[in-house]
Amino acid sequence: MDVYNFSTVTQFILIGLSDIPEVRYPLFMIFVVIYQITLLGNGAILLAIVTERKLQTPMYYLLANLSLLDIFCPSATVPKMLKNLLTEDHSISFVGCALQLYFLLALAGTEVFLLAVMAYDRYVAICFPLRYSLIMTKVRCVQLLFGTWAAGFLNSFMHTMTTFSLSFCKSNRVNQYYCDIPPLLTLSCSSTYLAEMLVLVVGGILGISAFLITLISYIYIVSTILKIQSVEGKHKAFSTCASHLLVVFLFYGTAIFTYIRPSSRQHSPARDRLTSMLYGIITPMLNPIIYSLRNTEVKGALRIVFHRRICSQKA
């Protein structure tokens, strides 16, 4: 039921894919499997980094944080989405919607900043290999990680407070399977100018800055690799950043496809919601697969972890 009086807006209705019920149960099974693979894959990466001493370096501390984000980010939306696919009750409380938006924006923003820090780490490792241990110390790594998480959560706090200070009186039906800024702004009967400007200006500046750091880092990395004379040296240098480069392409590629692709009359709202599901769920699942396939040290550590687990079970 829609709610038109701001004083009575105590909940929102998440549309999700309820308008195409014939695919709800198959989607439920698909996303349950994907979510489980995401948790297991990223959990295995975390376990390998924690248990293997040779992986306890700045590069893998950053990777561990990426795995944490890939566990937390889908966990902010997927459980509620799965419940909505099975039940007729698609409601979420006003406070619950605000909290979901806050954590989702915070985690997604932190991942953007973390990818930039990871690109900088690879830039230092390849362009200044002899000074890497002096530049990327554990203390510096902790400082960078604290900065990425703080920036992500502070940025999200500002957007969430601005969005939920609006008056909602047009409807309470959110045209998405989770609480997000654009569909919430369409429900407001007060001016959304400040909220929209914050998204465009603050979000744009932070997002573009992180993207430019990532891009410039890889321009220098590629330039340095091309100057290496031996084929073996080029392969070794490229192998140290190949996994992260694939993750960056996957993250920004799916983000651009989801949010910046040109509009078309053939794009139904349900199809757009499905696309955003793929962006928010598929990427966190693929990241540990990429690192476990492309990174020999991670593969070796995972083999040791699984071997120990098998041996302990036999004992």
Side-chain angles (χ1 to χ4, degrees), residues 197-240:
M197 285 300 101
L198 279 176
V199 171
L200 291 175
V201 177
V202 178
I205 290 174
L206 294 177
I208 292 174
S209 298
F211 175 76
L212 287 177
I213 291 173
T214 305
L215 179 64
I216 294 171
S217 295
Y218 272 102
I219 289 175
Y220 279 104
I221 288 171
V222 172
S223 176
T224 301
I225 291 176
L226 292 176
K227 293 177 183 178
I228 299 175
Q229 297 298 322
S230 66
V231 176
E232 182 180 355
K234 289 182 179 179
H235 176 75
K236 184 178 179 180
F238 182 74
S239 65
T240 63

Side-chain angles (χ1 to χ4, degrees), residues 70 111-112 115 178 211 245-261 272-287 290:
D70 285 339
E111 185 162 351
V112 172
L115 290 175
Y178 59 91
F211 175 76
L245 188 59
L246 286 174
V247 169
V248 168
F249 276 131
L250 182 65
F251 181 86
Y252 282 106
T254 52
I256 290 172
F257 178 77
T258 302
Y259 295 107
I260 312 179
R261 60 196 170 98
D272 291 338
R273 293 194 293 272
L274 180 58
T275 302
S276 65
M277 284 183 183
L278 297 177
Y279 164 70
I281 300 173
I282 297 296
T283 302
M285 180 193 70
L286 292 179
N287 287 348
I290 291 172

Side-chain angles (χ1 to χ4, degrees), residues 131-275:
R131 298 172 55 192
Y132 177 76
S133 60
L134 298 175
I135 298 174
M136 285 300 294
T137 62
K138 290 185 178 181
V139 173
R140 178 68 57 81
C141 182
V142 170
Q143 291 173 341
L144 290 171
L145 286 172
F146 177 80
T148 59
W149 285 85
F153 276 78
L154 288 174
N155 178 59
S156 177
F157 179 78
M158 178 175 54
H159 288 297
T160 303
M161 290 297 294
T162 305
T163 301
F164 281 89
S165 65
L166 300 172
S167 300
F168 297 99
C169 57
K170 293 182 179 179
S171 173
N172 70 336
R173 299 175 65 84
V174 179
N175 192 24
Q176 186 53 279
Y177 75 96
Y178 59 91
C179 292
D180 198 9
I181 292 178
L184 285 171
L185 293 183
T186 63
L187 306 181
S188 174
C189 56
S190 55
S191 174
T192 60
Y193 178 79
L194 179 59
E196 291 174 351
M197 285 300 101
L198 279 176
V199 171
L200 291 175
V201 177
V202 178
I205 290 174
L206 294 177
I208 292 174
S209 298
F211 175 76
L212 287 177
I213 291 173
T214 305
L215 179 64
I216 294 171
S217 295
Y218 272 102
I219 289 175
Y220 279 104
I221 288 171
V222 172
S223 176
T224 301
I225 291 176
L226 292 176
K227 293 177 183 178
I228 299 175
Q229 297 298 322
S230 66
V231 176
E232 182 180 355
K234 289 182 179 179
H235 176 75
K236 184 178 179 180
F238 182 74
S239 65
T240 63
C241 63
S243 298
H244 178 255
L245 188 59
L246 286 174
V247 169
V248 168
F249 276 131
L250 182 65
F251 181 86
Y252 282 106
T254 52
I256 290 172
F257 178 77
T258 302
Y259 295 107
I260 312 179
R261 60 196 170 98
S263 59
S264 171
R265 293 180 181 178
Q266 297 179 349
H267 288 155
S268 66
R271 190 176 305 172
D272 291 338
R273 293 194 293 272
L274 180 58
T275 302

Side-chain angles (χ1 to χ4, degrees), residues 55-63 121 132 136-138 141:
L55 296 185
Q56 294 176 7
T57 62
M59 172 184 172
Y60 291 107
Y61 291 150
L62 298 176
L63 176 58
D121 172 74
Y132 177 76
M136 285 300 294
T137 62
K138 290 185 178 181
C141 182

